[in-house]
Amino acid sequence: NIFALIFLVAKLLKICYNSLNSYIPLNSYSFLNSYNVLNKFSEVFMQDTVWLDEEKDLLCYIDQTLLPNELKICTCNNIFDLYDIIKRLSIRGAPAIGVGAAIGLYAAANRFEDETEDGFLYSFRKSAEIVNSSRPTAVNLSVAVDRMVKRAESSAGLGVDGIKKALKKEALDIY
């Protein structure tokens, strides 16, 4: 897909600019004009590979296994799909895996049917264990999952809705 190629080229150009910035004088007007064009291009065509759809409380991600041939945006709202997404590297890159885990845990927890705090926290801890087991050596994954569990536990006493709000805030802070 042409958009996937444009996305990758724009990202590469931005990385190149950032690494060359210290070697090129800032008064190089032609280069700065090129950079301004690149910034506008990036604003239009570049997007995160993992994000939260706040209207529907869904994890959204670009399936990295299909790039560069296809740009496919997928969604997730349950733990077993999240496990599979992380395991098969549909979300790639240490920071993105951590962010995806945090947002995915929130999206799944938001659909738990537990009405008591104890039941909700039990389900959340078990879900966190499942997600963490998808890539046991991924540091960013375990850090994000641990942060989400600590936030859930520290929000006990706020009711299930209060815990869900705290989890959303933590997931967005990790993002």
Side-chain angles (χ1 to χ4, degrees):
N1 189 332
I2 190 70
F3 290 112
L5 181 61
I6 291 170
F7 171 79
L8 294 172
V9 168
K11 198 165 200 162
L12 180 62
L13 287 172
K14 196 162 193 173
I15 290 168
C16 289
Y17 171 78
N18 289 337
S19 38
L20 291 174
N21 191 26
S22 59
Y23 300 107
I24 297 174
L26 289 177
N27 60 3
S28 174
Y29 295 112
S30 62
F31 188 78
L32 284 179
N33 286 337
S34 299
Y35 182 68
N36 289 335
V37 169
L38 176 62
N39 270 342
K40 287 294 180 195
F41 179 82
S42 297
E43 288 173 18
V44 173
F45 288 104
M46 289 184 70
Q47 71 181 69
D48 293 334
T49 59
V50 178
W51 66 96
L52 172 65
D53 177 339
E54 293 193 57
E55 266 183 40
K56 298 177 183 173
D57 287 323
L58 293 170
L59 165 64
C60 300
Y61 63 97
I62 295 174
D63 189 337
Q64 301 289 306
T65 62
L66 302 176
L67 293 176
N69 298 323
E70 183 181 346
L71 178 63
K72 182 177 179 184
I73 297 174
C74 304
T75 61
C76 174
N77 65 5
N78 74 72
I79 292 304
F80 300 107
D81 287 346
L82 181 59
Y83 173 92
D84 186 53
I85 289 163
I86 294 170
K87 182 82 171 169
R88 63 185 176 86
L89 292 173
S90 290
I91 297 175
R92 289 190 186 160
I97 290 172
V99 169
I103 293 172
L105 276 168
Y106 162 71
N110 207 40
R111 288 158 177 79
F112 288 170
E113 294 179 8
D114 301 291
E115 294 181 16
T116 66
E117 276 190 9
D118 288 340
F120 181 88
L121 289 172
Y122 177 81
S123 295
F124 191 78
R125 284 187 204 103
K126 289 301 177 187
S127 296
E129 288 174 16
I130 290 168
V131 172
N132 215 11
S133 71
S134 64
R135 299 195 69 74
T137 61
V139 175
N140 288 52
L141 171 64
S142 60
V143 167
V145 169
D146 289 346
R147 279 181 61 176
M148 294 294 286
V149 170
K150 286 178 185 169
R151 177 56 72 104
E153 290 172 345
S154 69
S155 300
L158 299 176
V160 171
D161 287 338
I163 296 171
K164 288 179 182 180
K165 286 178 186 173
L167 287 172
K168 181 177 183 177
K169 182 180 181 328
E170 189 66 23
L172 292 174
D173 287 349
I174 292 169
Y175 176 71

